[in-house]
Amino acid sequence: MSQNGPPKVQAAHAAAGLVESGMLVGLGSGTTATEMVRALGRRVREYHLHIQSVATSNSTAELARAEGITVRELDDVDELDICLDGADEVDPSFRLIKGRGGALLREKIVAAAARVHVTMITPEKRVDRLGKSMPIPVEVSTVGLRHTERRLRALGAQTSVRMTSDGSLFRTDGGNAIVDCRFTDIDDVAALDSRLQNVVGVFDTGIFLGLCDVLLVGYPGRAERIDKSSAIPSSDSPSLSGA
Ligand code: 5RP
Protein backbone atom coordinates (compact mmCIF):
# COMPACT_ATOMS: atom_id res chain seq x y z
CA MET A 1 0.00 0.00 0.00
CA SER A 2 1.01 3.62 -0.58
CA GLN A 3 3.51 5.42 1.65
CA ASN A 4 1.87 8.72 0.66
CA GLY A 5 -1.07 10.58 2.02
CA PRO A 6 -2.11 12.06 5.35
CA PRO A 7 -2.37 9.97 8.56
CA LYS A 8 -6.00 8.97 8.09
CA VAL A 9 -5.14 7.63 4.62
CA GLN A 10 -2.35 5.54 6.16
CA ALA A 11 -4.83 3.99 8.61
CA ALA A 12 -7.32 3.43 5.78
CA HIS A 13 -4.72 1.72 3.58
CA ALA A 14 -3.61 -0.51 6.45
CA ALA A 15 -7.24 -1.55 7.02
CA ALA A 16 -7.83 -2.34 3.34
CA GLY A 17 -4.66 -4.47 3.47
CA LEU A 18 -6.29 -6.78 6.05
CA VAL A 19 -8.96 -7.90 3.58
CA GLU A 20 -8.38 -11.23 1.84
CA SER A 21 -10.15 -12.96 -0.99
CA GLY A 22 -13.33 -14.73 0.09
CA MET A 23 -14.11 -12.31 2.91
CA LEU A 24 -17.45 -10.69 3.67
CA VAL A 25 -16.53 -7.19 4.84
CA GLY A 26 -18.46 -4.54 6.78
CA LEU A 27 -17.68 -1.11 5.32
CA GLY A 28 -17.82 1.86 7.68
CA SER A 29 -18.78 5.47 7.04
CA GLY A 30 -16.98 8.80 7.24
CA THR A 31 -13.93 10.31 5.60
CA THR A 32 -11.48 7.62 6.78
CA ALA A 33 -13.84 4.84 5.72
CA THR A 34 -14.17 6.54 2.33
CA GLU A 35 -10.38 6.31 1.87
CA MET A 36 -10.50 2.68 2.97
CA VAL A 37 -13.22 1.80 0.41
CA ARG A 38 -11.20 3.48 -2.35
CA ALA A 39 -8.05 1.58 -1.31
CA LEU A 40 -10.04 -1.65 -1.09
CA GLY A 41 -11.43 -1.10 -4.58
CA ARG A 42 -7.89 -0.69 -5.91
CA ARG A 43 -6.78 -3.82 -4.03
CA VAL A 44 -9.72 -5.84 -5.41
CA ARG A 45 -8.87 -4.82 -8.97
CA GLU A 46 -5.11 -5.24 -8.60
CA TYR A 47 -5.15 -8.64 -6.88
CA HIS A 48 -8.45 -9.93 -8.34
CA LEU A 49 -9.88 -10.45 -4.86
CA HIS A 50 -13.33 -12.00 -4.59
CA ILE A 51 -14.98 -10.18 -1.73
CA GLN A 52 -18.47 -9.09 -0.78
CA SER A 53 -19.48 -6.29 1.52
CA VAL A 54 -22.24 -4.85 3.67
CA ALA A 55 -22.28 -1.05 3.91
CA THR A 56 -23.06 1.08 6.94
CA SER A 57 -24.56 3.97 4.96
CA ASN A 58 -26.08 4.72 1.60
CA SER A 59 -23.09 6.84 0.58
CA THR A 60 -20.63 4.03 1.42
CA ALA A 61 -22.77 1.55 -0.53
CA GLU A 62 -22.75 3.86 -3.54
CA LEU A 63 -18.97 4.33 -3.38
CA ALA A 64 -18.32 0.61 -2.92
CA ARG A 65 -20.39 -0.22 -6.01
CA ALA A 66 -18.56 2.46 -7.99
CA GLU A 67 -15.30 0.79 -6.89
CA GLY A 68 -16.56 -2.55 -8.21
CA ILE A 69 -17.18 -4.07 -4.76
CA THR A 70 -20.31 -6.21 -4.43
CA VAL A 71 -22.67 -4.81 -1.77
CA ARG A 72 -25.18 -7.11 -0.02
CA GLU A 73 -28.00 -6.43 2.39
CA LEU A 74 -27.18 -7.35 5.99
CA ASP A 75 -30.21 -9.60 6.28
CA ASP A 76 -29.10 -11.60 3.24
CA VAL A 77 -25.88 -12.70 4.94
CA ASP A 78 -24.89 -14.30 8.23
CA GLU A 79 -21.72 -13.35 10.03
CA LEU A 80 -19.31 -10.82 8.54
CA ASP A 81 -15.62 -11.76 8.64
CA ILE A 82 -14.43 -8.26 9.46
CA CYS A 83 -15.79 -4.74 9.85
CA LEU A 84 -13.59 -1.73 9.02
CA ASP A 85 -14.76 1.62 10.35
CA GLY A 86 -13.57 4.95 11.74
CA ALA A 87 -14.32 6.49 15.14
CA ASP A 88 -14.39 9.88 16.82
CA GLU A 89 -12.84 8.89 20.17
CA VAL A 90 -11.19 5.73 21.52
CA ASP A 91 -10.39 5.18 25.21
CA PRO A 92 -7.64 2.97 26.68
CA SER A 93 -10.11 0.05 26.92
CA PHE A 94 -10.92 0.30 23.20
CA ARG A 95 -14.38 1.74 23.85
CA LEU A 96 -15.49 4.17 21.17
CA ILE A 97 -17.62 7.17 20.45
CA LYS A 98 -18.92 7.15 16.89
CA GLY A 99 -21.58 9.00 14.96
CA ARG A 100 -20.11 12.37 14.02
CA GLY A 101 -21.08 11.42 10.46
CA GLY A 102 -24.57 10.38 11.56
CA ALA A 103 -24.48 6.68 10.63
CA LEU A 104 -24.21 5.30 14.17
CA LEU A 105 -27.25 3.00 14.35
CA ARG A 106 -26.49 1.23 11.08
CA GLU A 107 -22.77 1.16 11.93
CA LYS A 108 -23.51 -0.54 15.25
CA ILE A 109 -25.89 -3.07 13.69
CA VAL A 110 -23.33 -4.01 11.03
CA ALA A 111 -20.45 -4.09 13.55
CA ALA A 112 -22.47 -6.39 15.83
CA ALA A 113 -22.70 -8.91 12.97
CA ALA A 114 -18.91 -9.02 12.48
CA ARG A 115 -16.36 -11.39 14.03
CA VAL A 116 -13.48 -8.90 13.98
CA HIS A 117 -13.78 -5.13 14.38
CA VAL A 118 -11.04 -2.88 13.05
CA THR A 119 -11.09 0.82 13.92
CA MET A 120 -9.11 3.34 11.86
CA ILE A 121 -8.13 6.54 13.64
CA THR A 122 -5.52 9.27 13.91
CA PRO A 123 -3.63 9.75 17.20
CA GLU A 124 -5.59 12.74 18.53
CA LYS A 125 -8.70 10.53 18.70
CA ARG A 126 -7.15 8.50 21.53
CA VAL A 127 -8.45 9.92 24.83
CA ASP A 128 -8.18 9.06 28.53
CA ARG A 129 -11.93 9.30 28.95
CA LEU A 130 -14.71 9.23 26.39
CA GLY A 131 -16.76 12.38 25.93
CA LYS A 132 -13.95 14.83 26.69
CA SER A 133 -13.79 16.41 23.26
CA MET A 134 -16.93 14.97 21.68
CA PRO A 135 -20.61 14.95 22.58
CA ILE A 136 -22.25 11.54 22.49
CA PRO A 137 -24.50 11.30 19.44
CA VAL A 138 -27.84 9.68 20.25
CA GLU A 139 -30.10 8.53 17.41
CA VAL A 140 -33.75 9.20 18.23
CA SER A 141 -37.17 9.11 16.64
CA THR A 142 -38.32 12.34 15.03
CA VAL A 143 -41.70 11.65 16.64
CA GLY A 144 -41.71 13.51 19.97
CA LEU A 145 -38.18 14.74 19.37
CA ARG A 146 -38.46 17.61 21.88
CA HIS A 147 -39.88 15.24 24.52
CA THR A 148 -36.97 12.83 24.03
CA GLU A 149 -34.51 15.73 24.18
CA ARG A 150 -36.03 16.83 27.54
CA ARG A 151 -35.63 13.29 28.92
CA LEU A 152 -31.98 13.28 27.82
CA ARG A 153 -31.46 16.63 29.56
CA ALA A 154 -32.97 15.15 32.72
CA LEU A 155 -30.04 12.68 32.69
CA GLY A 156 -27.62 15.62 32.90
CA ALA A 157 -26.88 16.09 29.19
CA GLN A 158 -26.40 19.43 27.52
CA THR A 159 -28.22 18.67 24.31
CA SER A 160 -28.22 19.93 20.78
CA VAL A 161 -30.43 18.57 18.02
CA ARG A 162 -28.25 18.07 14.94
CA MET A 163 -29.09 20.31 11.99
CA THR A 164 -27.81 20.45 8.42
CA SER A 165 -25.78 23.39 7.08
CA ASP A 166 -28.95 24.81 5.48
CA GLY A 167 -30.70 24.89 8.86
CA SER A 168 -33.04 21.92 8.45
CA LEU A 169 -33.23 18.89 10.72
CA PHE A 170 -30.43 16.39 10.06
CA ARG A 171 -31.87 12.97 9.26
CA THR A 172 -29.98 9.69 9.23
CA ASP A 173 -30.31 7.22 6.33
CA GLY A 174 -33.07 5.62 8.40
CA GLY A 175 -34.94 8.94 8.65
CA ASN A 176 -34.16 9.48 12.34
CA ALA A 177 -32.83 12.54 14.19
CA ILE A 178 -29.64 12.87 16.23
CA VAL A 179 -29.35 14.60 19.60
CA ASP A 180 -25.73 15.36 20.51
CA CYS A 181 -25.38 14.97 24.28
CA ARG A 182 -22.51 16.56 26.19
CA PHE A 183 -21.77 15.46 29.76
CA THR A 184 -19.33 17.30 32.03
CA ASP A 185 -17.57 14.15 33.21
CA ILE A 186 -18.35 10.56 32.29
CA ASP A 187 -17.33 8.29 35.16
CA ASP A 188 -18.94 5.04 34.06
CA VAL A 189 -19.48 4.99 30.31
CA ALA A 190 -21.30 1.62 30.28
CA ALA A 191 -23.77 2.77 32.95
CA LEU A 192 -24.37 6.01 31.08
CA ASP A 193 -24.95 4.06 27.86
CA SER A 194 -27.61 1.92 29.59
CA ARG A 195 -29.36 5.00 30.97
CA LEU A 196 -29.38 6.65 27.53
CA GLN A 197 -30.62 3.47 25.84
CA ASN A 198 -33.51 3.29 28.33
CA VAL A 199 -34.90 6.70 27.36
CA VAL A 200 -38.16 6.41 25.43
CA GLY A 201 -37.61 7.60 21.85
CA VAL A 202 -33.92 6.61 21.76
CA PHE A 203 -32.89 4.02 19.16
CA ASP A 204 -29.19 3.81 20.01
CA THR A 205 -26.16 5.74 21.14
CA GLY A 206 -22.75 6.44 19.63
CA ILE A 207 -21.08 4.60 22.54
CA PHE A 208 -19.61 1.40 21.09
CA LEU A 209 -18.67 -1.16 23.74
CA GLY A 210 -16.87 -4.39 22.84
CA LEU A 211 -16.85 -3.44 19.15
CA CYS A 212 -13.15 -2.73 18.61
CA ASP A 213 -10.58 -5.54 18.46
CA VAL A 214 -7.85 -3.88 16.44
CA LEU A 215 -6.87 -0.22 16.27
CA LEU A 216 -5.06 1.12 13.24
CA VAL A 217 -3.56 4.49 14.07
CA GLY A 218 -2.38 6.55 11.12
CA TYR A 219 0.75 8.72 11.26
CA PRO A 220 2.58 10.52 8.47
CA GLY A 221 3.91 7.78 6.20
CA ARG A 222 2.89 4.80 8.36
CA ALA A 223 0.18 3.13 10.42
CA GLU A 224 0.49 1.41 13.78
CA ARG A 225 -1.56 -1.68 14.64
CA ILE A 226 -2.59 -2.11 18.28
CA ASP A 227 -4.53 -5.22 19.27
CA LYS A 228 -7.12 -5.22 22.03
CA SER A 229 -5.18 -7.86 23.96
CA SER A 230 -2.83 -5.00 24.90
CA ALA A 231 -5.69 -2.69 25.98
CA ILE A 232 -6.61 -1.83 29.57
CA PRO A 233 -9.61 -4.00 30.55
CA SER A 234 -12.77 -2.12 31.56
CA SER A 235 -15.57 -3.25 33.87
CA ASP A 236 -17.69 -4.03 30.78
CA SER A 237 -14.97 -6.20 29.17
CA PRO A 238 -16.23 -9.77 28.59
CA SER A 239 -13.13 -11.17 30.33
CA LEU A 240 -13.97 -9.30 33.54
CA SER A 241 -17.74 -9.54 33.48
CA GLY A 242 -17.75 -13.23 32.52
CA ALA A 243 -20.20 -12.44 29.68
C1 5RP B 1 -19.84 8.12 11.19
C2 5RP B 1 -18.73 7.71 12.09
C3 5RP B 1 -17.35 7.90 11.60
O1 5RP B 1 -16.70 6.68 11.52
C4 5RP B 1 -16.61 8.82 12.55
O2 5RP B 1 -17.35 10.02 12.69
C5 5RP B 1 -15.18 9.14 12.05
O3 5RP B 1 -15.28 9.86 10.87
P1 5RP B 1 -14.01 10.40 10.10
O4 5RP B 1 -13.29 9.20 9.58
O5 5RP B 1 -14.59 11.25 9.02
O6 5RP B 1 -13.18 11.20 11.07
O7 5RP B 1 -18.92 7.23 13.18
O8 5RP B 1 -21.08 7.95 11.82
Side-chain angles (χ1 to χ4, degrees):
M1 288 281 156
S2 160
Q3 293 303 300
N4 301 319
K8 75 166 71 170
V9 174
Q10 299 296 329
H13 286 188
L18 297 177
V19 176
E20 292 167 11
S21 205
M23 280 187 169
L24 182 51
V25 186
L27 303 175
S29 298
T31 56
T32 315
T34 294
E35 295 296 340
M36 176 275 295
V37 174
R38 289 192 183 124
L40 189 55
R42 285 195 295 275
R43 195 166 144 73
V44 162
R45 291 190 294 277
E46 195 174 339
Y47 297 104
H48 306 288
L49 301 185
H50 294 284
I51 65 162
Q52 297 192 323
S53 72
V54 171
T56 56
S57 62
N58 295 344
S59 57
T60 295
E62 199 179 315
L63 175 63
R65 287 197 187 95
E67 289 290 341
I69 301 169
T70 304
V71 180
R72 312 239 352 235
E73 293 300 323
L74 182 58
D75 273 345
D76 292 340
V77 302
D78 291 325
E79 200 178 45
L80 307 182
D81 295 296
I82 196 166
C83 184
L84 313 172
D85 203 350
D88 301 301
E89 281 188 354
V90 182
D91 82 359
S93 303
F94 280 33
R95 299 178 295 192
L96 316 175
I97 291 183
K98 286 182 51 55
R100 204 58 237 147
L104 58 121
L105 176 60
R106 200 160 146 191
E107 286 174 330
K108 200 181 272 186
I109 292 170
V110 172
R115 264 189 298 121
V116 177
H117 311 96
V118 176
T119 306
M120 306 164 283
I121 56 161
T122 41
E124 75 285 356
K125 291 183 172 182
R126 299 190 79 184
V127 295
D128 299 341
R129 269 186 189 218
L130 293 181
K132 268 193 167 171
S133 61
M134 273 281 305
I136 296 167
V138 178
E139 188 156 340
V140 305
S141 171
T142 55
V143 177
L145 173 55
R146 294 293 163 195
H147 290 260
T148 306
E149 187 184 13
R150 272 202 294 278
R151 289 187 202 106
L152 291 168
R153 279 205 207 122
L155 294 181
Q158 278 184 298
T159 59
S160 133
V161 174
R162 202 177 291 185
M163 308 298 279
T164 63
S165 50
D166 67 9
S168 52
L169 182 70
F170 175 89
R171 282 176 184 266
T172 65
D173 284 353
N176 305 318
I178 289 186
V179 181
D180 287 305
C181 294
R182 200 173 276 284
F183 294 87
T184 38
D185 204 8
I186 302 176
D187 242 0
D188 184 339
V189 75
L192 175 63
D193 189 43
S194 301
R195 283 203 298 279
L196 293 170
Q197 304 252 16
N198 274 334
V199 171
V200 174
V202 167
F203 290 127
D204 217 322
T205 78
I207 297 172
F208 280 47
L209 304 175
L211 292 173
C212 174
D213 305 304
V214 177
L215 260 189
L216 292 172
V217 188
Y219 295 92
R222 70 181 178 97
E224 181 186 7
R225 173 181 172 146
I226 310 169
D227 286 51
K228 191 171 180 190
S229 48
S230 66
I232 298 171
S234 60
S235 54
D236 52 283
S237 299
S239 55
L240 291 185
S241 64

